[in-house]
Amino acid sequence: MPILTIHLADGRYSDEQCEHLLAATSRFYAQSLKSPIERVRVFIQAYAARRIAVGGVSVQAGADDAPYFHFLVLEGRSVEERQHLLVGFTDLIVDILGVRRERVRGGCWPIAPENWAIGGVPASVLRAAEVAARSADASNAAV
């Protein structure tokens, strides 16, 4: 379920920077949530500079770019985990894109497991199955 979307002004960053950001944020997300990286999805959404305003001035007219990101997590993640992700994604955007830290904004959207599907199956059902499997594995290992 880990999904991150980063919103940027088009043409402000090189393809190499964007590829580096995609790879680094994917690894960070997977490591932070102890999730298989195959489950992680990261998107960069680029907008024409004339379609972004910062303080009422378009980026095309001279406003500094101000990247924005948001990510989804299933409800139940701790405040510490969510804040760790907020800080880490900000750090990566600042380090890789060279953006001023105070310009970066980000948010976390916790989603109830019954409101999220993976392959059409509610995450609440998949989560229950994963918990049961882990419990069975632990019981078998103890025997």
Side-chain angles (χ1 to χ4, degrees), residues 13-143:
Y13 309 102
S14 70
D15 288 342
E16 292 78 19
Q17 285 174 300
C18 291
E19 287 181 29
H20 184 190
L21 186 60
L22 290 167
T25 53
S26 294
R27 284 190 307 271
F28 174 73
Y29 212 170
Q31 291 166 355
S32 296
L33 298 182
K34 297 173 184 62
S35 172
I37 198 161
E38 296 78 22
R39 293 185 182 176
V40 175
R41 307 289 187 269
V42 178
F43 302 89
I44 292 177
Q45 177 67 54
Y47 303 90
R50 69 182 183 281
R51 303 248 186 253
I52 301 172
V54 179
V57 178
S58 77
V59 171
Q60 181 175 332
D64 284 344
D65 192 13
Y68 159 74
F69 66 89
H70 65 270
F71 60 95
L72 308 174
V73 295
L74 288 178
E75 285 180 349
R77 293 289 180 178
S78 71
V79 170
E80 292 79 16
E81 287 175 304
R82 296 188 315 262
Q83 290 177 348
H84 175 75
L85 290 166
L86 287 165
V87 170
F89 291 141
T90 299
D91 289 346
L92 289 167
I93 289 169
V94 168
D95 293 345
I96 294 169
L97 301 183
V99 177
R100 291 187 0 234
R101 177 173 297 282
E102 65 272 12
R103 291 300 217 177
V104 179
R105 302 290 189 271
C108 173
W109 278 252
I111 305 288
E114 63 271 14
N115 294 332
W116 187 260
I118 301 166
V121 179
S124 55
V125 173
L126 290 174
R127 181 184 270 177
E130 285 182 2
V131 169
R134 273 186 250 138
S135 180
D137 287 345
S139 295
N140 290 338
V143 174

